[in-house]
Amino acid sequence: MKKDDAEKREDFINYKSQIADNGFSVISNIFSEEEIETIGQMIGQIDTSKETFRKSEDLFAIRQFLKEIPEIKDLIFNDNIKKLIKEVFGEQYFVVKSIYFDKPEKSNWYVAYHQDLTISVDNKTVLPNFGPWTTKQNQFAVQPPLDMLENIYTIRIHLDDTDEQNGALKVIPGSHAKGIYRPETIDWNTETEHICNVDKGGVMIMKPLILHGSNRTTNGKKRRVIHIEFSDRELPEEIQWSEKERVE
């Protein structure tokens, strides 16, 4: 049974509240089986030899994903995603970063608890309150002021069923509201861990400051995720977002 507009609005309010309180929300059935299949086929046809691609036994990743496969945008930004962006983030939010991750069936890729503390920009320069800087595969990244990080939302689109046995994200609820939170200072007497199981075609929305990580794959099943970050902030004129793009 389809939901009416009032029920959908209530859902959006609940998602926004969950993200504000806990730093994340998991939402099912954003993409159909057919949409996920088509997205996977399109990714499987691309040339993987470029500098923005990272390929190993444990991980395959595409940086600047939406730039590398521009024809995939119409599939990614379906009506459900557009509504989420508008109602949960805000009408002024735009894409600032995109990555595709493929954690293969036998992956030993383990990610320790961390916060996402950098943004991707087009060049490196000296700016007050911006730093430190890093460069990966010709991509400049910098830690911006805290309020800019607090304003970002991330959507993680799941192309496979994901649970704790194939690298689902584990998070510490509420940690996004505690500023810069060093993993080595986690007090497990007061903090709790939550595993974010997401069904194929579902999404996880998270704040980049939430402490998160993932375990190695143990069930022989792959985990493919499209990671897209959104902001509504403009940067100082000396730098630009490396992937700024509005969702029409």
Side-chain angles (χ1 to χ4, degrees):
M1 185 174 65
K2 289 188 176 182
K3 295 182 177 181
D4 61 27
D5 290 344
E7 288 175 313
K8 289 178 181 178
R9 280 195 296 273
E10 187 68 28
D11 285 343
F12 289 133
I13 292 169
N14 288 337
Y15 301 149
K16 192 157 191 167
S17 177
Q18 288 168 9
I19 297 164
D21 293 344
N22 300 319
F24 72 97
S25 182
V26 173
I27 309 167
S28 300
N29 301 315
I30 296 298
F31 293 87
S32 68
E33 185 82 26
E34 183 180 6
E35 286 174 320
I36 292 297
E37 187 70 25
T38 305
I39 290 169
Q41 288 174 354
M42 192 171 288
I43 293 170
Q45 295 170 355
I46 58 178
D47 175 9
T48 61
S49 63
K50 298 180 181 179
E51 287 187 351
T52 49
F53 292 60
R54 172 177 178 175
K55 196 168 188 177
S56 70
E57 290 183 1
D58 289 328
L59 181 69
F60 173 57
I62 307 171
R63 295 182 184 279
Q64 299 191 26
F65 174 69
L66 296 176
K67 276 188 177 181
E68 292 291 350
I69 317 177
E71 61 272 23
I72 211 166
K73 293 173 192 174
D74 287 342
L75 294 170
I76 298 298
F77 297 114
N78 66 9
D79 287 343
N80 289 335
I81 286 289
K82 288 179 181 178
K83 287 174 185 173
L84 277 176
I85 294 168
K86 178 181 176 181
E87 300 294 338
V88 179
F89 305 172
E91 292 191 8
Q92 301 306 312
Y93 272 78
F94 48 85
V95 174
V96 295
K97 185 176 183 178
S98 62
I99 310 174
Y100 168 75
F101 294 106
D102 180 348
K103 199 171 184 180
E105 293 90 335
K106 297 181 180 179
S107 175
N108 283 318
W109 188 262
Y110 166 84
V111 180
Y113 268 112
H114 67 286
Q115 296 174 300
D116 293 339
L117 294 176
T118 63
I119 58 173
S120 296
V121 296
D122 64 343
N123 72 90
K124 181 179 179 179
T125 188
V126 177
L127 286 170
N129 302 315
F130 282 76
W133 290 78
T134 59
T135 307
K136 290 182 181 178
Q137 297 169 301
N138 297 321
Q139 174 67 71
F140 299 103
V142 63
Q143 183 170 324
L146 183 62
D147 66 309
M148 186 167 286
L149 289 172
E150 290 173 336
N151 219 47
I152 292 173
Y153 288 92
T154 299
I155 293 180
R156 292 170 57 88
I157 300 166
H158 285 249
L159 306 186
D160 303 288
D161 291 330
T162 309
D163 59 26
E164 59 188 317
Q165 294 183 316
N166 67 327
L169 277 194
K170 52 185 182 180
V171 301
I172 298 178
S175 55
H176 69 297
K178 299 181 179 181
I180 305 301
Y181 192 161
R182 299 301 177 191
E184 61 271 17
T185 68
I186 297 172
D187 182 357
W188 290 111
N189 292 315
T190 60
E191 303 287 18
T192 58
E193 179 178 275
H194 178 82
I195 305 296
C196 298
N197 296 343
V198 186
D199 292 337
K200 179 179 181 179
V203 303
M204 175 186 177
I205 299 177
M206 59 178 268
K207 302 296 285 182
L209 287 176
I210 193 170
L211 279 163
H212 60 284
S214 64
N215 294 330
R216 296 176 175 85
T217 298
T218 60
N219 65 357
K221 295 181 180 179
K222 65 164 56 185
R223 183 204 71 179
R224 296 169 298 161
V225 173
I226 297 167
H227 170 118
I228 308 176
E229 296 178 15
F230 299 81
S231 178
D232 65 350
R233 298 288 182 88
E234 297 298 335
L235 294 172
E237 61 183 14
E238 295 88 346
I239 57 175
Q240 298 294 324
W241 297 102
S242 64
E243 297 181 67
K244 182 177 180 180
E245 183 161 346
R246 297 202 175 272
V247 179
E248 302 298 338

